[in-house]
């Protein structure tokens, strides 16, 4: 027994030595580039079988891949790639024992890099396989191929847009970009994936192509081919599919009556191209819409009496009768019947009848009268009962024409004719005819809802015509230039009294336009502050209106509550001739204050400054309420001074009051600057969205009023406002909405393009004017709106506003204007209100007020600060330099920019050696610590 055990142990030892010897030889052969043996001598056992074989893999970008295999029983496992053994050091192996069989399980994996695959140049793809050894022999796994994954950018074939007839087949071809692995194709319609399981009419299985078996109107849209593999996604160009419908005739209507009552005429019948109506560019019906045939109408023959018959015998009542017939001729074909009695009677006894006969006649007469009275009484009672039953309704007439416009029901006590302006919003416009409607297009009141429910909607309007030609286009004819009845000098601008109204001779003839003053809850804006001897600055936030009160303007030991107001209502200034209001009416007070030095009032304006095209004047309202002109901006006067900048006017005043800036155009090239702003808000209907385009004078206060009104209506500013140069050439403004996504939104009829007469824009007098556009989503899923607003003046300038917004409030970006820096502190008192410290200011005035041999220094200071005209005004002041510096302070408020003053002083200092007088800074003037850097 022991001998037998020793023999088995020896045999096992020899086998192990032989196995490891072969393995070392195989490893050495592999290291030397030799091929490992395909099999090893083995004792009786089991061939290895693979529990996991390497699988095909793709290298994405530069990331290596792992190839794994697992075999049982396996004493060794090696990878062979492209016919060569992989070095043993590149193998990572794990060894375990199967608990059920006790056999050895070995798992091995290797990494394959992109460089290895790219360096291989064989007739086939890079491949690897596993070779596993056991006691019985070797087993080989399947080959796993390794490829580099990619997807090219360009499609081999992009889908092309098509216009197809309804119910025909649509085939959109798509060949995805070349790639490994081959890209899978998915189709999108309007950026939404197409689910062929939900729509059996669409098939995408045939070679990546999209097939629509029968085109429907709902199949119109933008189609995109999306190619995807493990590397990337590629999108083709979008193909627009338009499914159109050719028009079809309806059935013929009945023949009309003959158009003449007598003789030869014609009859006609008509049909409409509505079965179906042409859509999306489909052709109109071929053939006539009206047919005519001749007809012969029989002429009417009036009736005529035949001769009287003979008298009848005398009756017991002593009467005889005779009659006649209307047969000579009888009335035919609608002729008039004979006039007169067909029967008459007379006494036949010449009054010799007995009394009994007379009594019988009286009885018959009284009987007839009694019967008539009873009949009348019954009729009166019946009518009374009927009226009582009908009076329960409490209305005489209900006018159904008021119900067709989508408004609320209205009851009327009197009969009114239907108004053509009440358009039924539920009906599609007739595309076969062209109609012209007269009605309001734009409103001078942001409260659309109030306007649409006022009495103006039931009154026929004039002046603006919209011609509807199709469901996709609204064209507006350019109105004629209005005739000015005032005398016009050749080559100059018209100065007639009715220039600002053109063909609109009276505001009372425009019931659809309301002034904001009639509805505004704030007829004026007001700020105030207490100011004393040190002066200060009073600012009306977000309006461009301010008042600078210089040092010593108010007497020492006095303090006044000074206020500023801006009139937001209807202007009280009556305009004369061709005058227009260029800015707001501004009041500063109190009126009874006495000023020692002029104050500087800043008023914004909307004119493009040019003395060649404008005559701009300043007007003041007297205490008696009468407006009077005090100066022109070009006048040389010692009472007032006006400095006109591109966007504002700075006025030096000796007394408080109400002031306004007006302009008279001298030529057609006079330009008003308009600010164009677009607001949007949801309508009561969840699918509707309203756009309101404002054309307002380019003054901050006018725009602030619009913002305030839109805030109350829930409107949102959609795009930063832009400026439009509006010429005084009497041509109107056209406002249109362009590039609306055709399959996501649609614009309601009669609102795609709107026109505003010249007079309404030119003479707006700081009152906002806007046009409203109503858009409708096809589905609630549409939350983004992208379109363009085109605002152009006929024979003038044009601008485009790009609207890109979300109609959901939580996703919408807020566009903010007016920095809040001066909103919380409208009143600035004392030295903090001025940029130039008081000590430096005193030294400048003391230096430049003193004349020298080369001229008055304050004149040179004014010239360097771009104050070149009406210098005689400053000469009358005690300190001209101080007034010049006050004007400079009003011109550049709160911007911290002293460059212009520093440069002016530096130039004067270089030429007259006075720079040293202003280079000192003082410890008590910390706010002027930057003066050294600016050369002061």
């Amino acid at each position: 027994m022991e001998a037998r055990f020793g023999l088995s142990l020896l045999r096992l030892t020899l086998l192990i030595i032989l196995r490891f010897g072969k393995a070392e030889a195989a490893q050495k052969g592999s290291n030397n580039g030799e091929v490992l043996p395909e099999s090893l001598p083995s004792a009786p056992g089991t061939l290895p079988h693979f529990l996991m074989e390497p699988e095909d893999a793709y290298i994405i970008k530069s990331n290596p891949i792992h190839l794994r295999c697992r075999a049982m029983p396996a004493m060794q496992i090696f990878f062979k790639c492209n016919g060569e053994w992989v070095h043993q050091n590149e193998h990572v192996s794990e060894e375990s024992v199967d608990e059920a069989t006790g056999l050895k399980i070995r798992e091995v994996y290797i990494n394959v890099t992109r460089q290895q695959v790219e360096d291989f140049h064989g007739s086939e793809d890079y491949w690897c396989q596993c070779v596993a050894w056991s006691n019985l022999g070797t087993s080989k796994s399947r080959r796993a191929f390794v490829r580099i994954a990619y997807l090219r950018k360009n499609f081999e074939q992009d889908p092309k847009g098509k216009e197809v007839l309804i119910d025909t087949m649509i085939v959109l071809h798509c060949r995805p970009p070349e790639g490994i692995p081959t890209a899978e194709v998915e189709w999108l319609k309007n950026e939404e994936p197409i689910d062929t399981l939900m729509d059996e009419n669409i098939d995408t299985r045939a070679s990546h192509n999209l097939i629509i078996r029968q085109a429907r109107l709902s199949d119109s849209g933008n189609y995109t081919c999306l190619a995807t593999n493990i590397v990337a996604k590629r999108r083709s160009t979008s193909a627009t599919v338009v499914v159109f419908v050719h028009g079809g005739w309806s059935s013929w209507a009945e023949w009309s009556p003959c158009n003449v009552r007598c003789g030869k005429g014609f009859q006609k019948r008509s049909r409409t191209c509505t079965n179906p109506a042409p859509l999306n560019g489909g052709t109109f019906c071929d053939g006539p819409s009206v047919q005519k045939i001749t007809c012969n109408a029989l002429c009417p023959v009036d009736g005529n009496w035949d001769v009287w018959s003979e008298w009848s015998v005398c009756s017991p009542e002593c009467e005889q009768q005779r009659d006649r017939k209307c047969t000579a001729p009888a009335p035919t074909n609608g002729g008039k019947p004979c006039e007169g009695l067909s029967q008459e009677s007379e006494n036949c006894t010449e009054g010799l009848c007995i009394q009994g006969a007379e009594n019988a006649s009286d009885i018959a007469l009284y009987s007839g009268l009694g019967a008539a009275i009873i009949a009348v009484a019954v009729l009166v009672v019946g009518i009374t009962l009927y009226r009582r039953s009908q009076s329960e309704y409490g209305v005489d007439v209900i006018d159904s024409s008021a119900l067709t416009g989508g408004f609320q029901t209205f009851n009327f006590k009197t009969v009114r004719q239907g108004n053509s302006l009440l358009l039924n919003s539920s009906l599609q416009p007739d595309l076969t005819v062209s109609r012209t409607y007269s009605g309001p297009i734009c409103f001078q009141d942001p409260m659309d809802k109030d306007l649409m429910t006022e009495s103006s909607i039931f009154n026929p309007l004039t002046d603006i015509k919209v011609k509807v030609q199709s469901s996709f286009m609204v064209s507006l004819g350019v109105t004629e230039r209005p005739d000015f009845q005032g005398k016009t000098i050749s080559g100059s601008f018209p100065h007639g009294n009715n220039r600002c109204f053109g063909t609109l001779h009276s505001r009372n003839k425009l019931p659809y336009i309301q002034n904001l003053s009639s509805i505004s809850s704030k007829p004026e804006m007001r700020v105030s502050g207490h100011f004393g001897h040190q002066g200060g600055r009073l600012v009306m936030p977000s309006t461009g209106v301010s008042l600078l009160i210089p040092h010593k303007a108010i007497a020492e030991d006095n303090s006044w509550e000074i206020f500023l107001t801006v009139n937001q209502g209807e202007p009280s200034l009556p305009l004369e001739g061709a005058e227009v209001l260029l800015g707001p009416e501004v009041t500063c007070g109190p009126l009874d204050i006495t000023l020692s030095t002029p104050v500087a009032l800043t008023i914004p304006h909307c004119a493009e400054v040019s003395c060649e095209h404008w005559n701009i004047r300043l007007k003041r309202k007297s205490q008696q309420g009468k407006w009077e002109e005090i100066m022109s901006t070009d006048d040389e006067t010692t009472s007032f001074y006006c400095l006109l900048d591109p966007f504002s006017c700075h006025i030096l005043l000796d007394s408080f009051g109400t002031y306004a800036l007006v302009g008279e155009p001298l030529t057609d090239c006079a330009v008003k600057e308009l600010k164009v702003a677009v607001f949007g808000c949801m309508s009561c209907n969840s699918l509707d969205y309203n756009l309101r385009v404002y054309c307002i004078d380019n003054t901050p206060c006018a725009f602030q009023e619009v913002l305030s009104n839109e805030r109350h209506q829930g409107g949102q500013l959609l795009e930063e406002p832009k400026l439009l140069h509006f010429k005084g050439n009497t041509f109107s403004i056209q406002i249109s909405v362009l590039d609306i996504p055709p399959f996501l939104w649609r614009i309601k009829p009669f609102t795609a393009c709107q026109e505003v007469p010249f007079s309404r824009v030119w003479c707006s007098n700081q009152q906002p004017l806007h046009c409203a556009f109503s858009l409708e989503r096809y589905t609630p899923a549409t939350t983004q709106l992208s379109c363009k607003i085109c605002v152009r003046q006929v024979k003038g300038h044009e601008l485009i506003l790009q609207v890109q917004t979300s109609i959901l409030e939580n996703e919408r970006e807020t566009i903010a204007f007016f920095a809040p820096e001066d909103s919380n502190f409208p009143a600035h008192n004392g030295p903090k209100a001025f940029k130039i410290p008081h000590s430096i200011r005193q030294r400048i005035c003391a230096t430049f007020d003193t004349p020298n041999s080369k001229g008055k220094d304050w004149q040179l200071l004014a010239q360097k600060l771009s104050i070149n005209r009406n210098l005689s005004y400053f000469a009358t002041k005690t300190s001209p330099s101080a007034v010049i510096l006050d004007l400079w302070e009003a011109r550049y408020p709160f911007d911290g920019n002293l460059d212009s003053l520093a440069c002016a002083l530096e130039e004067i200092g270089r030429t007259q050696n006075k720079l040293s007088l202003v280079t000192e800074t003082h410890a008590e003037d910390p706010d002027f610590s930057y003066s050294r850097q600016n050369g002061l």
Side-chain angles (χ1 to χ4, degrees):
M1 191 71 179
E2 293 178 356
R4 188 175 296 176
F5 175 76
L7 183 60
S8 299
L9 183 61
L10 179 62
R11 184 177 300 173
L12 180 59
T13 302
L14 292 175
L15 181 61
I16 292 174
I17 293 174
L18 181 62
R19 170 69 184 88
F20 280 101
K22 293 293 184 178
E24 291 177 1
Q27 181 175 355
K28 291 179 180 180
S30 175
N31 294 336
N32 296 329
E34 299 177 359
V35 178
L36 290 176
E38 295 294 335
S39 62
L40 293 172
S42 59
T46 304
L47 281 174
H49 69 277
F50 287 94
L51 304 177
M52 176 193 298
E53 296 187 77
E55 297 180 351
D56 295 342
Y58 297 94
I59 294 179
I60 301 174
K61 296 182 180 179
S62 298
N63 300 321
I65 55 95
H66 305 292
L67 295 180
R68 291 179 177 271
C69 66
R70 184 188 304 133
M72 181 185 73
M75 301 177 63
Q76 287 291 341
I77 299 178
F78 288 97
F79 271 94
K80 179 185 287 187
C81 293
N82 303 316
E84 297 182 359
W85 294 102
V86 178
H87 196 280
Q88 183 177 4
N89 294 338
E90 298 178 11
H91 291 73
V92 177
S93 62
E94 296 177 358
E95 187 174 317
S96 61
V97 176
D98 185 30
E99 296 179 355
T101 61
L103 297 177
K104 184 181 296 184
I105 300 175
R106 183 175 293 273
E107 181 176 347
V108 176
Y109 73 88
I110 63 172
N111 292 333
V112 178
T113 65
R114 183 186 183 98
Q115 188 64 39
Q116 289 176 302
V117 178
E118 290 178 345
D119 292 342
F120 175 70
H121 303 285
S123 58
E124 56 184 351
D125 293 331
Y126 190 98
W127 61 270
C128 293
Q129 68 176 167
C130 287
V131 179
W133 281 272
S134 69
N135 293 333
L136 187 60
T138 61
S139 296
K140 296 181 179 180
S141 69
R142 63 178 293 276
R143 290 185 178 184
F145 291 92
V146 180
R147 300 176 178 88
I148 297 176
Y150 67 93
L151 184 62
R152 301 196 185 280
K153 292 184 178 181
N154 298 326
F155 277 70
E156 295 183 2
Q157 183 178 5
D158 286 301
K160 304 296 182 183
K162 294 184 177 182
E163 295 183 358
V164 296
L165 183 64
I166 193 170
D167 293 332
T168 58
M169 179 180 289
I170 303 175
V171 179
L172 298 180
H173 298 279
C174 175
R175 292 175 61 189
E178 178 187 351
I180 294 178
T182 303
E184 298 181 356
V185 171
E186 180 183 12
W187 283 90
L188 306 178
K189 176 187 175 184
N190 297 331
E191 303 303 323
E192 296 292 334
I194 296 176
D195 189 356
T196 57
L197 298 178
M198 300 295 293
D199 192 348
E200 297 180 353
N201 192 41
I202 299 178
D203 186 7
T204 59
R205 295 172 297 176
S207 302
H208 310 307
N209 298 328
L210 175 69
I211 300 175
I212 301 177
R213 297 183 178 89
Q214 284 186 317
R216 302 156 297 189
L217 287 176
S218 59
D219 292 324
S220 297
N222 296 320
Y223 290 84
T224 307
C225 185
L226 184 64
T228 307
N229 70 358
I230 61 176
V231 179
K233 290 184 179 181
R234 307 291 186 212
R235 290 169 58 95
S236 70
T237 57
S238 294
T240 300
V241 174
V242 177
V243 179
F244 60 86
V245 179
H246 291 316
W249 290 113
S250 64
S251 302
W252 287 103
E254 297 293 333
W255 288 104
S256 66
C258 197
N259 68 323
V260 295
R261 293 187 59 192
C262 176
K264 187 175 182 180
F266 65 87
Q267 294 175 277
K268 66 178 181 179
R269 63 176 181 175
S270 62
R271 57 180 178 175
T272 58
C273 189
T274 57
N275 187 31
L279 292 174
N280 298 339
T283 59
F284 195 77
C285 301
D286 188 18
S289 61
V290 177
Q291 281 185 345
K292 293 183 179 181
I293 58 173
T294 59
C295 58
N296 289 308
L298 299 176
C299 296
V301 177
D302 296 337
N304 196 19
W305 293 113
D306 201 353
V307 298
W308 287 102
S309 64
E310 296 293 334
W311 288 104
S312 64
V313 298
C314 195
S315 66
E317 291 81 14
C318 303
E319 287 185 350
Q320 60 181 4
Q321 297 178 346
R322 67 174 182 175
D323 56 13
R324 57 180 177 174
K325 294 183 179 180
C326 188
T327 56
T332 56
N333 303 327
K336 297 179 181 179
C338 298
E339 296 181 357
L341 299 175
S342 62
Q343 189 179 56
E344 66 178 4
S345 59
E346 66 178 8
N347 188 282
C348 57
T349 61
E350 298 180 359
L352 299 179
C353 283
I354 61 174
Q355 184 68 32
E358 293 179 358
N359 293 337
S361 176
D362 292 340
I363 293 173
L365 176 61
Y366 294 142
S367 300
L369 289 175
I373 292 173
I374 294 174
V376 170
V378 172
L379 181 61
V380 169
V381 172
I383 292 175
T384 302
L385 295 177
Y386 175 79
R387 289 179 62 86
R388 287 184 178 177
S389 63
Q390 293 298 319
S391 64
E392 295 176 359
Y393 293 99
V395 64
D396 295 332
V397 178
I398 298 179
D399 188 358
S400 62
S401 65
L403 304 178
T404 61
F407 304 100
Q408 297 179 355
T409 304
F410 295 87
N411 295 333
F412 301 93
K413 286 290 184 179
T414 58
V415 178
R416 299 185 64 173
Q417 296 297 326
N419 196 313
S420 62
L421 294 176
L422 296 176
L423 306 176
N424 190 334
S425 60
S426 64
L427 298 178
Q428 295 295 326
D430 189 356
L431 306 182
T432 65
V433 296
S434 175
R435 295 193 179 101
T436 301
Y437 299 93
S438 297
I441 297 303
C442 299
F443 306 92
Q444 203 167 12
D445 174 13
M447 302 298 185
D448 296 336
K449 187 174 180 181
D450 295 340
L451 277 177
M452 295 300 289
T453 56
E454 288 294 330
S455 61
S456 61
I457 202 160
F458 298 104
N459 296 327
L461 306 176
T462 58
D463 192 57
I464 302 175
K465 293 185 177 181
V466 181
K467 186 176 182 181
V468 182
Q469 294 181 337
S470 69
S471 61
F472 294 100
M473 181 180 296
V474 176
S475 63
L476 284 149
V478 178
T479 58
E480 297 287 335
R481 295 172 63 128
D483 297 329
F484 296 98
Q485 298 178 6
K487 185 176 180 180
T488 304
I489 302 175
S490 177
S492 66
F493 197 90
H495 288 67
N497 292 337
N498 55 350
R499 167 184 171 77
C500 286
F501 299 95
T503 57
L504 308 176
H505 299 287
S506 173
R507 293 181 183 267
N508 296 331
K509 294 182 180 180
L510 297 174
Y512 66 95
I513 295 182
Q514 297 180 357
N515 293 319
L516 280 175
S517 60
S518 63
I519 61 172
S520 176
S521 60
K522 295 182 179 180
E524 64 180 21
M525 292 188 291
R526 178 186 173 98
V527 293
S528 63
H530 286 83
F531 297 90
H533 185 65
Q534 290 188 335
R537 192 189 303 263
L538 187 60
V539 178
M540 180 78 72
S542 304
T543 63
V545 177
S546 64
L547 179 67
L548 180 75
I549 304 149
H551 180 69
K552 298 182 180 180
I554 300 175
E556 196 169 4
D557 298 329
N558 284 350
S559 177
W560 290 85
E561 181 182 11
I562 297 178
F563 65 86
L564 270 178
T565 62
V566 172
N567 181 19
Q568 287 186 290
E570 181 72 12
S572 61
L573 171 64
L575 299 175
E576 301 174 359
E579 288 181 344
V580 292
L581 189 63
L582 298 180
E585 294 178 1
V586 178
T587 302
C588 50
L591 301 180
D592 55 348
I593 186 173
T594 301
L595 300 174
S596 302
T597 60
V599 296
L601 176 64
T602 299
I603 300 177
H605 68 82
C606 60
E608 188 179 69
V609 179
S610 172
C611 59
E612 300 177 359
H613 306 309
W614 281 104
N615 179 17
I616 299 177
R617 299 188 288 269
L618 181 66
K619 291 191 175 185
R620 179 178 60 184
K621 190 176 184 180
S622 65
Q623 294 184 0
Q624 293 75 24
K626 183 179 179 181
W627 285 87
E628 56 186 7
E629 180 180 333
I630 58 176
M631 71 169 296
S632 172
T633 55
D634 295 329
D635 289 345
E636 297 284 336
T637 176
T638 59
S639 302
F640 297 87
Y641 187 90
C642 243
L643 178 61
L644 202 60
D645 278 343
F647 299 105
S648 58
C649 181
H650 310 285
I651 311 164
L652 295 177
L653 307 172
D654 291 325
S655 60
F656 288 158
T658 301
Y659 296 88
L661 209 62
V662 299
E664 180 182 6
L666 302 177
T667 67
D668 284 356
C669 296
V671 170
K672 275 182 64 175
E673 291 183 341
L674 302 180
K675 180 171 290 186
V676 181
V678 183
F679 291 81
C681 68
M682 294 293 293
S683 179
C684 300
N685 184 353
S686 61
L687 294 179
D688 289 350
Y689 191 78
N690 294 328
L691 291 177
R692 289 187 286 274
V693 183
Y694 286 82
C695 296
I696 53 180
D697 293 347
N698 183 32
T699 57
C701 50
F703 186 54
Q704 180 67 17
E705 183 177 354
V706 171
L707 286 178
S708 177
N709 291 327
E710 282 293 330
R711 190 179 300 113
H712 290 305
Q713 296 185 78
Q716 177 73 27
L717 186 62
L718 303 182
E719 178 64 16
E720 182 177 356
K722 294 185 179 180
L723 292 185
L724 175 69
H725 295 277
F726 186 70
K727 290 185 177 181
N729 56 9
T730 72
F731 286 101
S732 59
I733 272 186
Q734 293 179 350
I735 305 174
S736 56
V737 181
L738 308 174
D739 297 346
I740 299 175
F743 302 106
L744 301 176
W745 291 85
R746 64 182 175 188
I747 190 166
K748 292 193 175 180
F750 318 121
T751 61
C753 182
Q754 302 181 19
E755 185 165 357
V756 187
F758 169 84
S759 59
R760 303 310 307 164
V761 183
W762 188 258
C763 301
S764 61
N765 295 333
Q766 298 291 302
Q767 301 299 307
L769 182 144
H770 81 274
C771 290
F773 298 87
S774 183
L775 278 68
E776 182 180 13
R777 296 178 288 170
Y778 283 97
T779 63
T782 302
T783 61
Q784 299 293 325
L785 173 61
S786 174
C787 65
K788 294 179 180 178
I789 306 295
C790 177
V791 182
R792 62 179 292 269
Q793 183 185 17
V794 179
K795 296 187 179 181
H797 292 85
E798 178 183 20
L799 64 84
I800 300 292
L801 287 89
Q802 179 68 50
V803 175
Q804 186 86 30
T805 184
S806 171
I807 65 174
L808 301 179
E809 293 187 3
N810 56 353
E811 298 180 3
R812 186 185 298 136
E813 295 182 3
T814 301
I815 302 176
F817 294 89
F818 301 123
E821 57 182 310
D822 61 344
S823 299
N824 297 327
F825 305 100
H828 305 264
N829 297 67
K832 297 292 185 181
F834 305 97
K835 291 187 297 183
I836 305 175
H838 182 62
S839 58
I840 300 296
R841 177 190 176 95
Q842 283 182 320
R843 298 173 68 86
I844 293 175
C845 294
T847 302
F848 290 102
D849 285 342
T850 304
N852 65 0
S853 58
K854 295 183 179 181
K856 296 182 179 180
D857 292 340
W858 65 264
Q859 292 184 349
L860 187 58
L861 176 64
Q863 180 182 351
K864 295 301 181 182
L865 295 178
S866 301
I867 302 174
N868 301 318
R869 49 166 298 277
N870 196 15
L871 297 182
S872 58
Y873 172 84
F874 302 97
T876 61
K877 306 303 177 185
T878 305
S879 176
S881 300
V883 181
I884 292 173
L885 293 178
D886 293 336
L887 188 59
W888 182 86
E889 291 269 9
R891 195 175 189 181
Y892 304 102
F894 301 113
D895 59 359
N897 180 15
L898 291 170
D899 291 343
S900 61
L901 180 60
C903 292
L905 295 175
E906 186 177 1
E907 288 185 23
I908 298 173
R910 287 174 181 172
T911 59
Q912 300 186 5
N913 197 25
K914 294 178 180 175
L915 183 61
S916 59
L917 298 178
V918 293
T919 55
E920 300 177 21
T921 58
H922 301 271
E924 64 270 18
D925 298 318
D927 293 335
F928 204 63
S929 61
Y930 48 78
S931 59
R932 273 200 191 105
Q933 302 174 4
N934 290 308
L936 295 180

